[in-house]
Amino acid sequence: QVQLVESGGGLVQPGGSLRLSCAASGSIFRIITMAWYRQAPGKERELVAQITSGGSTNAADSVKGRFTISRDNAKNALFLQMNSLKSEDTAVYYCNFKVLNEFGILYGYWGQGTQVTVSS
């Protein structure tokens, strides 16, 4: 079992910055991908950015050039640096790990979410 805990959310003014962190604990055999999703009120959860085990990244068009995803392999930690925040970035942000166990079975794990509110 893997547990994910996000932190770093909060209230920030438009144009400001926040850095989200996701810490993993539990038995992890091999991480395939790590990602950040977000869900705004009344909207579906959407992919914000993803990073593979090889270090390749991709991000939603709406955040390209403003958000940067990174990872610490040694600590199984995931980060999201968010700059030039806009009101439309307001959402609950979730981290997601896709993990392979020793039997080759793929599992997906979610954190509990952290609220990001961009408002003046």
Side-chain angles (χ1 to χ4, degrees), residues 63-76:
V63 306
K64 281 181 180 176
R66 300 188 297 123
F67 291 11
T68 302
I69 189 170
S70 62
R71 60 188 291 178
D72 182 330
N73 290 332
K75 298 181 179 179
N76 288 329

Side-chain angles (χ1 to χ4, degrees), residues 4-58:
L4 304 179
V5 178
E6 300 100 335
S7 61
L11 173 64
V12 63
Q13 292 187 343
S17 298
L18 282 175
R19 179 176 169 85
L20 304 184
S21 299
C22 177
S25 61
S27 178
I28 297 176
F29 181 70
R30 181 183 171 193
I31 296 174
I32 304 302
T33 61
M34 306 160 81
W36 288 99
Y37 287 74
R38 67 185 180 187
Q39 187 166 20
K43 294 188 177 181
E44 293 189 353
R45 192 172 296 190
E46 63 174 357
L47 177 68
V48 176
Q50 175 177 282
I51 184 166
T52 68
S53 59
S56 298
T57 63
N58 67 281

Side-chain angles (χ1 to χ4, degrees), residues 3 28-29 41 53 62 68 70 72 97 106-107 111 115 117-118:
Q3 295 80 40
I28 297 176
F29 181 70
S53 59
S62 59
T68 302
S70 62
D72 182 330
F97 283 22
L106 189 67
Y107 289 91
Q115 176 70 47
T117 302
V118 184

